[in-house]
């Protein structure tokens, strides 16, 4: 199993899927992390079409999430602090389970996920 985590600093989970700088990819075997890989997200960060950055919270935009999902296509789970409903749906369509977590530390979130105690917060979709 592979779990992707969005991050900007390699230690904490980014607050927004579309704006994170990196993916940390964890390979899990028999309930333990066996490898970790960092992938730089080289595509442009998501800014809503037709809106200035000051109004980006409105999220009235349309874009193709495939470029964001392609690097993690072999993952089964994605951990993020938040995302838009379009990205959430696109991940599900690619058979990746998106989990929106309020746990900030990557290791703590991974441990909770593997223990079956990580809480998903879909109410934080925007």
């Amino acid at each position: 199993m592979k779990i992707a985590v969005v991050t900007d600093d390699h230690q904490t989970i980014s607050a927004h899927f579309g704006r994170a700088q990196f993916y940390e990819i964890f390979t899990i075997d028999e309930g333990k992390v066996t490898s970790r890989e960092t992938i730089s997200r080289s595509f442009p960060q998501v800014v809503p079409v037709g809106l200035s950055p000051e109004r980006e919270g409105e999220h009235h935009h349309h874009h193709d999430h495939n470029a964001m999902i392609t690097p993690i296509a072999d993952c089964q789970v994605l951990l993020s602090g938040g995302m838009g409903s379009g990205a959430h749906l696109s991940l599900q369509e690619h058979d990746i389970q998106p989990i929106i977590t309020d746990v900030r530390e990557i290791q703590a979130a991974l441990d909770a996920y593997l223990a079956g105690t990580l809480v998903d917060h879909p109410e934080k979709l925007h």
Side-chain angles (χ1 to χ4, degrees), residues 79-91:
L79 305 182
S80 178
M83 69 181 65
S85 57
H88 194 265
L89 181 61
S90 291
L91 287 160

Side-chain angles (χ1 to χ4, degrees), residues 8-29:
D8 295 312
D9 63 6
H10 311 288
Q11 300 298 318
T12 60
I13 298 174
S14 294
H16 194 283
F17 170 69
R19 296 186 194 121
Q21 294 181 32
F22 304 97
Y23 287 118
E24 294 291 337
I25 310 294
F26 296 88
T27 301
I28 310 298
D29 190 22

Side-chain angles (χ1 to χ4, degrees), residues 4 10 12 26 47 51 63 69-70 93 96 99 112 115:
H10 311 288
T12 60
F26 296 88
V47 175
L51 294 179
H63 50 264
I69 295 172
T70 297
E93 288 172 348
I96 300 171
I99 297 177

